[in-house]
Amino acid sequence: MRIDIVTALPNIVRGPLEESIPGRARKKNLLDVHVHDLRDHAFDKYKQVDDTPFGGGAGMVLKPEPIFSCIESIMEEVGESVDEVIFLTPDGAVLDQSLANELSLKKHLVLLAGHYKGVDQRVRDKLVTREVSIGDYVLSGGELPALVLVDALARLIPGVLGDASSALTDSFQDGFLDAPCYTRPALFREMKVPDVLTSGDHRRIDEWRDEQRLVKTRERRPDLLDSANERSRTDN
Ligand code: ADE
């Protein structure tokens, strides 16, 4: 999978992409990430990438020319094989596991991180194929949301996670939250790991985990159970 991140603040995204699962996916050549600095596509000698909004109002708006130039140069380089140009914005469809699963099947994504007040609407009308939000709150820009999306996708690429099943057992992957997990020591400050987990009986361990997942989901996110029930009703 290839992901191009287009941003006016490339330093925010560069460091985190070296680390953890996205870093591992890149080192294994399973994920190819390119970061583009919009300033390299600015048209004037001051390298201006934003301007005041027509009609007045607070904040600055990202100008269309550098964004068109940057995204068109990516398309020229790869022969127009870009599957989606995704703009990260609180206006977009809220990212959830099923959207992450869907996007993880794409070969090439361009992620546009807006900053300041937003981007010129012509970019959204002509270049952007999808708008994605990472939740109902406003951040200063789309760089952290772009990293969130890259992380959610990287862990779904086959071969990235050591244990082939671990992405499948993540919270949300089947609509349930995860069971509690423990590691050594089995007794720590008088807090003991549940006996079932040290019993070696894998059938009982699976049953215990399923039960815990159900209890936790019922307690914390009953809405997830409602949508799982809804899905099974429409599937049958
Ligand atoms: N840009 C600013 N806030 C955002 C959010 N919640 N999701 C995606 N992009 C954003």
Side-chain angles (χ1 to χ4, degrees):
M1 178 182 228
R2 171 167 167 165
I3 299 180
D4 289 77
I5 302 179
V6 175
T7 167
L9 296 168
N11 289 340
I12 297 183
V13 296
R14 285 202 176 108
L17 291 169
E18 304 292 324
E19 306 290 333
S20 189
I21 302 297
R24 195 196 296 175
R26 295 177 79 189
K27 280 185 200 104
K28 287 184 171 176
N29 287 327
L30 296 169
L31 176 65
D32 184 19
V33 185
H34 299 245
V35 179
H36 304 266
D37 185 347
L38 274 178
R39 272 172 232 287
D40 294 340
H41 293 267
F43 279 46
D44 65 320
K45 66 176 182 198
Y46 303 105
K47 303 255 170 228
Q48 192 184 351
V49 294
D50 60 336
D51 209 335
T52 52
F54 276 125
M60 300 289 270
V61 177
L62 286 177
K63 292 165 69 59
E65 308 96 307
I67 300 176
F68 272 81
S69 158
C70 182
I71 293 181
E72 281 167 0
S73 75
I74 296 167
M75 287 172 169
E76 268 161 37
E77 185 202 327
V78 298
E80 302 215 351
S81 76
V82 174
D83 292 308
E84 299 254 8
V85 176
I86 299 176
F87 176 47
L88 284 309
T89 166
D91 302 353
V94 178
L95 179 64
D96 61 8
Q97 193 61 49
S98 85
L99 180 55
N101 292 348
E102 181 191 338
L103 293 174
S104 76
L105 301 175
K106 311 272 180 184
K107 288 266 172 297
H108 187 180
L109 302 175
V110 173
L111 308 185
L112 172 62
H115 223 257
Y116 316 109
K117 178 99 181 73
V119 305
D120 188 284
Q121 183 61 34
R122 289 163 289 190
V123 170
R124 297 168 81 162
D125 293 344
K126 281 281 179 235
L127 288 177
V128 169
T129 59
R130 200 190 278 258
E131 301 194 337
V132 172
S133 161
I134 62 159
D136 290 337
Y137 44 86
V138 179
L139 299 169
S140 316
E143 285 75 16
L144 296 177
L147 287 172
V148 166
L149 184 54
V150 172
D151 193 295
L153 298 180
R155 57 188 299 107
L156 295 172
I157 299 171
V160 169
L161 295 184
D163 171 357
S165 69
S166 60
L168 296 177
T169 60
D170 282 344
S171 273
F172 289 109
Q173 193 53 265
D174 56 4
F176 291 93
L177 301 181
D178 242 352
C181 53
Y182 297 86
T183 187
R184 275 174 279 274
L187 181 63
F188 172 67
R189 298 192 182 174
E190 297 180 14
M191 292 177 283
K192 195 165 171 296
V193 170
D195 287 336
V196 59
L197 294 180
T198 51
S199 68
D201 182 340
H202 286 281
R203 195 183 50 81
R204 274 184 56 220
I205 293 172
D206 286 346
E207 280 169 9
W208 180 84
R209 286 191 173 139
D210 284 346
E211 171 71 18
Q212 295 292 317
R213 282 152 45 80
L214 190 60
V215 168
K216 198 199 258 187
T217 310
R218 197 181 284 135
E219 248 171 45
R220 299 189 180 181
R221 295 293 305 274
D223 58 303
L224 293 178
L225 292 179
D226 294 344
S227 34
N229 284 339
E230 187 58 35
R231 270 198 310 278
S232 72
R233 225 161 30 87
T234 48
D235 287 351
N236 292 330

